Amino acid sequence: MAEPITGRQLDLEEEQSKERKKGRGRSVSSVPDREKYLEQTLLLLDFPSVSKKFIRCTASCTVIKISMRYLNNLENYPMASSQGEEAGIHSEAQRKAHQIKLASEKQQDGLDLYPETEATSGNGKKGVVNRPQKKNLLPRIESYKRESQIPPDVKDLTVTVDVDTWTVILPIMGRPVPFHLSTIRNANTTNDFSRAYERGFVYLRINFCFPGRTGQSRKHNAESFEEPNANFMTSVTLRSGEKDRMEFLAWQITELRKDYVQKEQEKKNLVDARKLIEVPNRRPHRLYIVFAQPAIPNLVGVRMPGEVELHQNGVRFCDPRDSSIDILFSNVKHLIYQPSDERGIVLIHLHLKMPILIGKKRFKDVQFYRKVPDARFVEMESQGRKRRRLGDWNCPWSNAHAEFGTEGSKRKKIHTINTRYKLFADKIQNAGREHIDAVDVPFREFSFYGVTHRFPVLCQPTARCLVQLTDTPFMVLTLEDVEIVHFEGVHTNMVNFDMVWVFKDFHRSTLQIRNIGAKSLEYIKNWLDMASIVFYQGSSNLNWENIMENIVQDTHGFFAGGGWSFLSKECDDQDEMNDDDASSTFEMSIQELYMDRSSSDESA
């Protein structure tokens, strides 16, 4: 009875037959060399947990791509020796030395970026003035530059609404005073029947925007005004006996303000004045059966697949309802390709510099994806098939042909779809090479789970960023924008820890990734060190809102006082406490042992 043929033998036979058809043989002698080189490289990066299967699959490729961002710091990691413990200790010492060097460079860069300048304050003392920061001030608006532009209706001293200049002219103290719609909050009418002599009159109340008002948006906070300490008009109330006219003015001001806000929103969403230039005289390259995230809103509420077209200066997603999403290459900050993962989704993600308008909302991340057969199911199916005997291959009633055919078709379909998306991502990068440096691919072997929003998600590092692309809201964190990283909740018996990302723009809020498994700490440290990012660790959770507020108030004083060194002091104190706890426990055990011996001698 013949032995059953395994899946590995089928794969090898299929691969050899394809190579014979192509007329070129496989260079078997070069594969072990590449396996050895790749294994040494991974040991050099201090990632000993990488499986042999991953090394074999990667070495079988003709090209091994390793990010130059990480190879720049390989000199800080010595080659692992035969004794794993000595190599681990040596690599940790080298990592600490590299971190000290990076911290000193970060300290010097902070002093150079925020120099000390002498200035005299109000009390006559010299102080430190930080480098001036850009403030988001409200723009200066002039409704009329000349008196000839004012409408002639204002001579009657009545309320006039000028639609062309977005202005409301009010009669105040016998003079027409213009107010731009950007300064008006709302307008409404009220009837006062409490006093008999005022019955029949209608009041038109117009409320204005001013600093210090509760419930106000950030656009109109105190920092947005050039002179926040000046006197501001909060509201104006006008009385009239013409009820219909007052109600019409309130409605006209409200609707005109809505149109003004919508127009300003469209200006913000207008990232580039140029439009998408279609490819002339030929059909553009297309990627079929693609879903977009976020989806284009529709009345049916059903998400339908479409296609992505590649044009001269951007890409366009079209669905069967003739709705489209246009993205220009000049607005793309990161182009990320992620092959099929455990959820069976292959995707191309575009992280934009400025948000675009899709429906009525603004989005900074656009994703094109497709669901494929679950790779994990295929792997589990093949593993389960190895544990049982499938029967004789030559036997006509055996199901070996059907099962191996199903497994092979699924693997082939996954590989085909992944290859199709990868080639299309390369075409996008090639067409927009002036704005897109490269296609980022996540490193699966170095991923970890953490809570970025409400539930645990898979975070994966790439050559230029840290991404989370499987669940909404997406996260794309650019490494060039990061100042430092701080690990919180790190102690001896920890199960989870938190990671706080502090950005170079100190006005930007910090990003926190919570509940990361303790086993991922060393891998994350090695990755951050290879990316030349300074990191610290501590056992307590810090109030980063107050810390960043103090840094913004006196940035030069912060770096002059040591900068981020206060985080390293906390780490040193934690190590001393752990050493003290360990020594005290050991001394107690000796005392107990001595007492036990003395009590046994007395009893004897």
Side-chain angles (χ1 to χ4, degrees):
M1 187 174 182
E3 295 183 358
I5 302 176
T6 61
R8 179 62 179 170
Q9 293 176 354
L10 286 177
D11 295 340
L12 290 176
E13 292 177 2
E14 183 178 350
E15 190 176 12
Q16 291 176 2
S17 62
K18 288 182 179 180
E19 290 169 354
R20 285 194 297 269
K21 291 179 181 180
K22 293 180 180 179
R24 52 184 176 87
R26 178 182 177 184
S27 179
V28 182
S29 60
S30 61
V31 173
D33 297 337
R34 288 199 294 269
E35 289 183 4
K36 184 177 180 181
Y37 173 74
L38 183 60
E39 186 174 1
Q40 291 179 355
T41 306
L42 293 174
L43 288 175
L44 189 65
L45 299 177
D46 198 13
F47 290 108
S49 64
V50 179
S51 61
K52 298 292 184 181
K53 181 179 178 181
F54 172 77
I55 295 176
R56 287 196 300 270
C57 294
T58 309
S60 61
C61 303
T62 56
V63 179
I64 298 178
K65 295 183 179 180
I66 299 177
S67 175
M68 295 302 297
R69 183 183 183 90
Y70 301 98
L71 291 179
N72 291 334
N73 294 326
L74 288 183
E75 58 183 7
N76 301 314
Y77 289 85
M79 289 295 294
S81 60
S82 59
Q83 299 179 357
E85 295 182 358
E86 294 182 1
I89 295 173
H90 192 45
S91 62
E92 184 177 359
Q94 291 291 330
R95 186 180 65 192
K96 289 183 178 180
H98 187 224
Q99 282 294 307
I100 293 173
K101 179 182 177 182
L102 292 176
S104 62
E105 293 177 355
K106 183 71 67 176
Q107 173 72 12
Q108 187 61 37
D109 293 341
L111 293 174
D112 296 339
L113 186 61
Y114 300 95
E116 179 182 4
T117 57
E118 294 185 354
T120 304
S121 59
N123 54 8
K125 296 182 180 179
K126 291 185 178 181
V128 177
V129 179
N130 295 329
R131 186 171 61 90
Q133 301 288 340
K134 294 183 179 179
K135 295 183 179 181
N136 296 325
L137 298 177
L138 292 174
R140 282 181 169 270
I141 298 176
E142 286 185 282
S143 298
Y144 307 105
K145 296 183 179 180
R146 295 181 297 273
E147 293 184 2
S148 59
Q149 297 176 349
I150 300 177
D153 299 341
V154 300
K155 296 179 180 180
D156 301 333
L157 295 180
T158 58
V159 180
T160 305
V161 179
D162 191 355
V163 181
D164 297 333
T165 58
W166 309 95
T167 306
V168 178
I169 304 175
L170 302 177
I172 299 177
M173 303 296 292
R175 291 179 177 272
V177 180
F179 293 90
H180 195 267
L181 283 175
S182 60
T183 63
I184 297 176
R185 181 188 175 191
N186 53 34
N188 51 55
T189 58
T190 57
N191 297 325
D192 191 358
F193 297 99
S194 60
R195 290 170 286 187
Y197 63 90
E198 290 189 356
R199 289 180 181 177
F201 290 98
V202 180
Y203 293 89
L204 174 64
R205 182 182 177 89
I206 300 176
N207 298 318
F208 298 97
C209 299
F210 59 92
R213 182 176 62 83
T214 57
Q216 192 163 232
S217 61
R218 294 183 179 179
K219 179 181 177 181
H220 296 97
N221 55 13
E223 297 180 355
S224 301
F225 292 86
E226 294 184 2
E227 299 180 3
N229 297 325
N231 296 325
F232 289 86
M233 184 182 298
T234 60
S235 63
V236 172
T237 304
L238 302 174
R239 189 184 71 170
S240 175
E242 300 179 4
K243 180 180 177 181
D244 296 338
R245 174 171 168 75
M246 291 294 105
E247 291 180 352
F248 175 75
L249 287 174
W251 174 84
Q252 188 178 14
I253 293 173
T254 303
E255 295 299 323
L256 191 62
R257 189 179 183 281
K258 290 181 181 179
D259 296 340
Y260 173 75
V261 172
Q262 184 178 0
K263 184 178 180 181
E264 292 296 319
Q265 194 76 11
E266 292 177 356
K267 287 182 179 180
K268 290 183 179 179
N269 296 328
L270 190 60
V271 179
D272 199 334
R274 298 177 300 171
K275 295 183 179 180
L276 188 71
I277 303 176
E278 298 183 357
V279 179
N281 302 328
R282 68 174 179 85
R283 295 184 61 185
H285 296 287
R286 292 177 179 175
L287 186 65
Y288 298 95
I289 314 178
V290 179
F291 293 88
Q293 180 67 24
I296 302 176
N298 57 83
L299 299 176
V300 182
V302 180
R303 182 171 296 183
M304 302 179 64
E307 57 186 25
V308 183
E309 300 177 352
L310 181 61
H311 294 278
Q312 289 187 4
N313 63 336
V315 295
R316 170 178 291 173
F317 172 79
C318 304
D319 62 356
R321 300 181 302 272
D322 294 334
S323 301
S324 61
I325 301 175
D326 295 344
I327 302 175
L328 301 181
F329 294 141
S330 59
N331 194 28
V332 177
K333 187 175 183 180
H334 294 293
L335 173 61
I336 306 167
Y337 158 74
Q338 179 175 305
S340 177
D341 56 0
E342 64 274 3
R343 297 182 58 181
I345 296 177
V346 57
L347 58 89
I348 297 175
H349 190 92
L350 300 175
H351 182 66
L352 309 180
K353 300 176 183 178
M354 297 296 294
I356 62 175
L357 190 65
I358 301 177
K360 295 183 179 180
K361 297 182 180 180
R362 303 168 64 191
F363 296 94
K364 207 172 181 178
D365 293 276
V366 180
Q367 187 178 107
F368 307 119
Y369 70 96
R370 179 183 177 181
K371 294 183 179 180
V372 297
D374 197 343
R376 181 179 56 181
F377 173 76
V378 175
E379 186 67 22
M380 291 174 59
E381 187 180 10
S382 61
Q383 292 293 336
R385 189 176 293 110
K386 290 180 182 179
R387 297 192 185 98
R388 68 178 185 270
R389 187 179 182 85
L390 296 176
D392 190 1
W393 184 267
N394 299 321
C395 184
W397 57 80
S398 176
N399 60 349
H401 294 83
E403 292 189 2
F404 280 120
T406 304
E407 178 185 349
S409 62
K410 288 182 179 179
R411 288 181 176 177
K412 185 177 180 180
K413 186 175 182 180
I414 293 173
H415 177 71
T416 302
I417 296 176
N418 287 340
T419 305
R420 189 181 303 165
Y421 272 69
K422 181 64 173 65
L423 292 176
F424 194 80
D426 293 337
K427 290 179 181 178
I428 295 176
Q429 190 274 331
N430 188 24
R433 53 184 174 272
E434 297 181 359
H435 306 281
I436 305 174
D437 296 333
V439 180
D440 288 334
V441 181
F443 302 144
R444 289 281 179 81
E445 298 291 332
F446 315 138
S447 60
F448 59 91
Y449 280 91
V451 179
T452 58
H453 187 58
R454 293 181 180 178
F455 45 86
V457 293
L458 181 64
C459 302
Q460 303 181 90
T462 67
R464 280 168 288 273
C465 49
L466 177 67
V467 300
Q468 185 281 116
L469 308 177
T470 54
D471 298 281
T472 55
F474 302 124
M475 181 193 70
V476 179
L477 195 152
T478 307
L479 299 182
E480 294 180 354
D481 300 338
V482 176
E483 177 77 6
I484 63 161
V485 175
H486 182 62
F487 300 103
E488 296 182 345
V490 179
H491 51 84
T492 306
N493 299 322
M494 67 174 180
V495 180
N496 299 321
F497 66 93
D498 301 337
M499 183 166 51
V500 180
W501 297 77
V502 182
F503 300 98
K504 296 179 180 179
D505 183 8
F506 295 146
H507 294 273
R508 182 178 175 183
S509 301
T510 58
L511 177 65
Q512 186 177 15
I513 303 177
R514 306 182 303 275
N515 297 337
I516 305 174
K519 296 181 180 179
S520 304
L521 180 60
E522 293 300 321
Y523 293 151
I524 296 175
K525 286 183 178 180
N526 291 335
W527 167 61
L528 292 175
D529 190 61
M530 287 184 289
S532 299
I533 296 178
V534 183
F535 62 85
Y536 301 92
Q537 69 180 27
S539 59
S540 59
N541 295 334
L542 304 179
N543 190 346
W544 286 98
E545 185 176 355
N546 294 341
I547 292 175
M548 300 309 297
E549 184 177 354
N550 295 331
I551 293 175
V552 170
Q553 290 178 359
D554 188 4
T555 311
H556 175 79
F558 170 74
F559 283 102
W564 304 105
S565 60
F566 73 96
L567 297 175
S568 61
K569 294 178 181 178
E570 180 186 1
C571 180
D572 297 338
D573 295 340
Q574 177 190 354
D575 295 339
E576 292 178 0
M577 291 177 62
N578 294 335
D579 296 339
D580 294 341
D581 294 339
S583 61
S584 62
T585 305
F586 182 72
E587 290 174 0
M588 183 61 68
S589 62
I590 294 177
Q591 292 177 3
E592 291 177 354
L593 180 61
Y594 179 75
M595 292 175 64
D596 292 340
R597 288 182 178 180
S598 60
S599 60
S600 61
D601 294 340
E602 291 177 358
S603 61

